[in-house]
Amino acid sequence: MSAGAGGGPSPQGGAVSAGAGGGSSPQGGAVSAGAGGGSSPRGAARFGERRAYAYGVTAAFLLLMLAPLFRRPPVDSFPLSTYPMFSWGRHDARTAVERAVGVDSRGGRRPIPPRLVGSEEVLQAKATLAQSIRQGARAARALCRGIASRVAAQDGYADVVAVEIRTDTFDAVAFFEGQEAPIDSKLHATCKVGAR
């Protein structure tokens, strides 16, 4: 056993070599320590460099994300976006909706659900309606007849005597306040349901 200043014996026996501030090994065996122990200055410097690098990369990404806010005129692009659907102003709250409507014998109207238009998905049904309208009156009438045949097979639509394909314009704010009547309408096609 060899000990310098501050060294101590090993309870389990064995060689212990310690400089100032060193300690003994409770399990035995050789232990060598420099003055005071601790990490090296080089390791501390590397840790500081890694932390500074991480802060720098984070700051750069934050600046990139905020950069579109300061471009004039504003430019929307991937992956950096100004999210114009939320940030651009609207002149009014009007929105046009292509839809299929069932008409009952009293002239009342109610929307035809997407599955009877041709898809369970709302957006796919809307795209089907919009495409038929763009293609003209013949395509709109063909889609209308297909919808009418599906409506005729549904027990819950026995009161529906006709189907209309139309573009209705709504005031979105007024609609959600209970004023559900369209402020403008354009009829593209109409057809009877079965023999009713």
Side-chain angles (χ1 to χ4, degrees):
M1 177 174 67
S2 172
S10 169
Q12 304 299 325
V16 176
S17 174
S24 61
S25 169
Q27 302 301 323
V31 176
S32 174
S39 60
S40 69
R42 183 178 296 176
R46 287 180 180 172
F47 176 76
E49 290 172 1
R50 286 196 300 267
R51 187 161 63 175
Y53 176 77
Y55 286 150
V57 170
T58 301
F61 274 110
L62 287 174
L63 289 173
L64 283 173
M65 291 300 294
L66 295 174
L69 297 175
F70 304 102
R71 298 181 69 178
R72 293 292 180 269
V75 177
D76 181 49
S77 64
F78 179 84
L80 305 175
S81 177
T82 55
Y83 303 101
M85 70 289 291
F86 303 114
S87 61
W88 288 0
R90 293 179 62 102
H91 296 296
D92 55 50
R94 287 182 296 178
T95 184
V97 180
E98 301 89 355
R99 61 182 190 154
V101 177
V103 184
D104 63 29
S105 57
R106 297 185 301 274
R109 289 174 171 79
R110 59 171 164 154
I112 300 295
R115 61 186 175 82
L116 298 181
V117 174
S119 173
E120 292 282 354
E121 297 293 333
V122 174
L123 292 180
Q124 289 182 7
K126 182 183 184 302
T128 299
L129 288 164
Q131 183 178 26
S132 73
I133 292 168
R134 283 196 306 270
Q135 290 175 346
R138 180 178 296 180
R141 283 194 299 269
L143 178 60
C144 185
R145 288 192 294 268
I147 295 171
S149 67
R150 288 187 285 274
V151 167
Q154 300 293 313
D155 293 335
Y157 292 85
D159 61 326
V160 175
V161 297
V163 170
E164 295 177 346
I165 291 182
R166 53 196 302 128
T167 299
D168 289 332
T169 302
F170 298 90
D171 183 310
V173 175
F175 182 89
F176 288 106
E177 290 177 346
Q179 303 173 35
E180 299 182 4
I183 58 177
D184 188 34
S185 296
K186 183 176 181 180
L187 181 64
H188 303 286
T190 184
C191 52
K192 293 182 179 179
V193 175
R196 301 172 193 163

